[in-house]
Every structure is written in C-alpha cells, then in structure tokens.
C-alpha cells in the first residue's frame, strides 16, 4: 500500500505525551465512549474506547499545543520504538489520509500518537463507520467508529466546561 496516495490533509506529529504521567479524570460517557479529562494536556478532553483486539483508542484535544490527536495502544505492538516516527495511512470508509505517527509507551503499553490541526479530519472521523489503520507492512487495526459523533460532541461540551 502506498502512503503517498490521496493525502487529503497533512497531519503533524509532536513530542509524544507518554513521557509525562497521565492523570485521567472521568467526565462521563457518550456514544459508547468514555469521556475524560487529561490534566497533562492542559485539561484537554478526550474520548476513549477499548476494542476486542486489545486496542485502546483515544481521540482528544491537547490544549497545551492547541491541536487534536488520535492515539492507539495495543500490547501486541511490542516492536514500536518510543519516539520513532512511522508512516501510516488512515482509511475512513474509503477516504484515505496519510499521516506520521510517533511511537509511544503508556504504562508499558506500546502505541502510536498522531496530532492534527485540521478540524475537518476530526469531523470526518466522527461521520464515518470504520477507521482502518495501515503501516508500511500492511493492516494494523480496524476501529468501529459507531457513536463517535456523539462522543466527540460530548468531548466538546466537556472542553467548553473546562474553559
């Protein structure tokens, strides 16, 4: 799979947040997602869900840098190197987005962190049904996005409450 195809937006990576201790506070639930507040991200709100393949996905706002992010963790991704960058491709129901992910570890679990500054990408995630992620070796995981619109609307409400 070519990662130079159909880059609808440019996603940018920043220093991964795994280096800081994370304290998540529960705000509520919406659309099957947990809505949480991350004090290490300037009290940025996020949605989080766990999947049957062992993946945990977070979509949220980092108020320290004024950008959104998608982060996925999975114990099975043990070959990820913290701080290394990886070319990935998001397929959102047939719409493809190239990105660069930064390898991270949170509580010993490997993951990938992708920052973006285009709100259209956020709403594209919310409006789709499946997010499939590929790396240079092929398929990585598929995430059911059911309830994501409701979850992100709640995260925005949470963020508005945080000021």
């Amino acid at each position: 799979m070519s990662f130079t195809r159909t880059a609808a937006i440019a996603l940018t990576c920043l220093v991964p947040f795994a280096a800081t201790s994370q304290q998540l506070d529960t705000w509520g639930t919406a659309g099957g997602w947990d809505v949480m507040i991350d004090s290490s991200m300037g009290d940025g709100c996020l949605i989080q869900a766990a999947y049957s393949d062992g993946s945990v996905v977070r979509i949220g706002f980092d108020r320290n840098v004024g950008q959104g992010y998608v982060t996925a963790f999975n114990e099975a991704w043990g070959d990820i190197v913290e701080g290394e960058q990886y070319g990935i491709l998001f397929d959102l129901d047939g719409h493809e987005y190239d990105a660069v992910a930064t390898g991270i570890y949170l509580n010993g679990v490997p993951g990938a962190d992708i920052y973006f500054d285009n709100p259209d990408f956020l709403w594209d995630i919310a409006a789709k049904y499946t997010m499939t992620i590929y790396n240079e070796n092929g398929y990585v995981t598929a995430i059911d996005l059911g309830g994501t619109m409701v979850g992100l609307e709640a995260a925005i409400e949470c963020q508005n409450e945080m000021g």
Side-chain angles (χ1 to χ4, degrees):
M1 173 147 311
S2 169
F3 293 103
T4 59
R5 299 188 278 169
T6 320
I9 61 171
L11 298 176
T12 57
C13 287
L14 302 175
V15 176
F17 65 84
T20 61
S21 174
Q22 259 194 335
Q23 176 61 44
L24 298 178
D25 296 314
T26 301
W27 184 85
T29 60
W33 292 82
D34 294 321
V35 181
M36 308 177 95
I37 302 165
D38 186 344
S39 60
S40 73
M41 301 240 182
D43 289 335
C45 294
L46 63 104
I47 58 174
Q48 176 177 283
Y51 294 89
S52 60
D53 73 347
S55 296
V56 174
V57 174
R58 293 179 180 171
I59 304 170
F61 308 103
D62 184 340
R63 292 176 51 163
N64 294 329
V65 297
Q67 291 188 317
Y69 63 90
V70 175
T71 300
F73 300 95
N74 190 310
E75 290 278 353
W77 301 345
D79 57 346
I80 287 179
V81 176
E82 186 160 357
E84 189 167 320
Q85 294 191 338
Y86 301 90
I88 63 166
L89 179 119
F90 286 100
D91 182 310
L92 300 171
D93 297 343
H95 293 92
E96 296 179 349
Y97 298 90
D98 288 316
V100 177
T102 301
I104 60 173
Y105 279 78
L106 182 63
N107 300 324
V109 179
D113 198 19
I114 303 100
Y115 273 76
F116 59 91
D117 59 6
N118 184 334
D120 291 340
F121 179 69
L122 181 70
W123 295 117
D124 204 15
I125 290 173
K128 302 301 183 191
Y129 297 100
T130 304
M131 175 171 52
T132 307
I133 301 173
Y134 300 90
N135 66 16
E136 62 193 21
N137 299 316
Y139 173 86
V140 175
T141 191
I143 306 300
D144 177 2
L145 297 174
T148 305
M149 181 68 78
V150 173
L152 286 173
E153 288 172 345
I156 290 170
E157 183 181 339
C158 167
Q159 205 59 79
N160 288 338
E161 283 183 16
M162 298 308 296

